[in-house]
Amino acid sequence: MMKKLLSICFLIASIFLFQSYISAKKITKVLVFSKTKGYRHGSIGAGKLALQKLGAEHNFGVDTTEDASKFTEENLKNYAAVIFLSTTGDVLDNTQQIAFERYIQAGGGYVGVHAATDTEYDWPWYGKLAGAYFTSHPAVQEASFVIKDKKHPSTKFFTDSVWMHKDELYNFKEINPDIKVLITIDEKSYTGGKNGAFHPFSWYHNFDGGRAFYTSMGHTDETWKEDKFLKHLLGGIKYAIGNQKLNYSKAHSKL
């Protein structure tokens, strides 16, 4: 009888240990969303591949979609961050917008890449989350990118204060005054800048319960092979992922 009891106890303990191991091994995942209703960037494909490679190398899962119906509370609970990869135009309906608002309010992460600011102009909440809206850009050219904050995970690897980088250089409107600017571009170093002496290009901030990171880089396929850009983006993703679990009791947006 004692042997049988010990065997049962051992079995129960083994099950608990196995479940704990499985739970501990559960991989952190991000969702890459690249739906476009306006201009479609040819670099989206290169971006998806690069993000999947980053995930494989740094132990986070990467799911990709252009299906807005994935923006439900139940599905978004599976992800530590959502990456808007060069989305354009009106990509989410009202129900999907509220599901995403609730996800951020619950402590979720947002990463905006390049044309993510050319998205959802009629949804003011999104504009504040992303940090600004796109207005225009000159031709692709090289410019001086000024590192303003070297303490953030997305910039701490830079050894110099100026990074010469070639990309599509967005001009912005409705810049959220609460963003924490990481990188600016020097408008004297190229032609076509319209934001003046202080031209933010990458930033982060806490917003409505969640974490948001945006970089305007990523227009060309070549950028997605550039080591410094990928390190910059990886740091932004790590910031957006954070280390807290979603808590939907804090979500307040309602249908």
Side-chain angles (χ1 to χ4, degrees):
M1 181 70 179
M2 183 60 70
K3 278 188 175 181
K4 188 174 182 181
L5 185 59
L6 286 172
S7 295
I8 292 171
C9 289
F10 178 76
L11 179 61
I12 292 171
S14 297
I15 291 171
F16 275 114
L17 285 170
F18 180 72
Q19 287 176 335
S20 297
Y21 173 78
I22 293 298
S23 178
K25 294 290 285 184
K26 187 177 180 182
I27 193 168
T28 297
K29 293 201 302 180
V30 301
L31 179 65
V32 177
F33 182 55
S34 54
K35 181 178 178 180
T36 54
K37 292 293 288 290
Y39 180 81
R40 184 171 181 84
H41 283 78
S43 60
I44 287 175
K48 288 179 184 179
L49 290 174
L51 287 164
Q52 288 168 331
K53 187 170 184 288
L54 281 179
E57 291 172 347
H58 297 276
N59 302 313
F60 60 89
V62 178
D63 290 343
T64 65
T65 189
E66 301 205 351
D67 181 1
S69 71
K70 299 292 185 182
F71 279 72
T72 65
E73 192 162 309
E74 193 60 33
N75 187 53
L76 291 177
K77 285 179 180 178
N78 296 315
Y79 301 101
V82 179
I83 301 173
F84 278 55
L85 173 59
S86 283
T87 50
T88 53
D90 185 3
V91 291
L92 299 178
D93 67 23
N94 289 342
T95 301
Q96 293 155 0
Q97 288 176 0
I98 291 173
F100 189 53
E101 287 181 14
R102 289 179 58 79
Y103 167 77
I104 293 297
Q105 292 159 1
Y110 164 86
V111 174
V113 180
H114 197 50
T117 48
D118 189 21
T119 302
E120 295 290 354
Y121 289 91
D122 296 324
W123 182 16
W125 181 93
Y126 177 83
K128 291 177 182 177
L129 171 74
Y133 282 120
F134 160 84
T135 55
S136 63
H137 65 79
V140 173
Q141 57 194 294
E142 188 176 60
S144 296
F145 286 67
V146 183
I147 315 304
K148 306 297 288 187
D149 178 353
K150 291 186 180 179
K151 295 179 181 178
H152 192 266
S154 68
T155 50
K156 65 181 181 181
F157 65 90
F158 282 103
T159 56
D160 298 320
S161 59
V162 176
W163 171 28
M164 298 305 297
H165 173 70
K166 185 177 182 180
D167 217 311
E168 189 171 65
L169 308 174
Y170 277 9
N171 297 306
F172 298 105
K173 65 178 181 179
E174 297 179 40
I175 298 173
N176 186 337
D178 295 328
I179 60 172
K180 311 298 184 185
V181 177
L182 295 162
I183 300 175
T184 62
I185 45 175
D186 181 358
E187 291 194 355
K188 295 178 182 176
S189 68
Y190 71 100
T191 302
K194 294 184 178 180
N195 281 111
F198 189 70
H199 189 150
F201 215 69
S202 295
W203 54 76
Y204 74 101
H205 62 140
N206 293 326
F207 177 76
D208 204 13
R211 301 164 306 282
F213 168 83
Y214 172 77
T215 180
S216 189
M217 302 168 217
H219 175 75
T220 67
D221 284 4
E222 290 73 23
T223 297
W224 288 98
K225 298 172 185 175
E226 188 174 351
D227 184 58
K228 286 183 179 179
F229 167 71
L230 293 173
K231 284 182 178 178
H232 170 60
L233 181 57
L234 176 63
I237 292 170
K238 287 182 175 180
Y239 160 76
I241 286 174
N243 56 12
Q244 65 186 48
K245 293 184 178 179
L246 295 173
N247 182 0
Y248 271 87
S249 69
K250 296 181 179 181
H252 52 83
S253 288
K254 299 188 188 311
L255 287 170

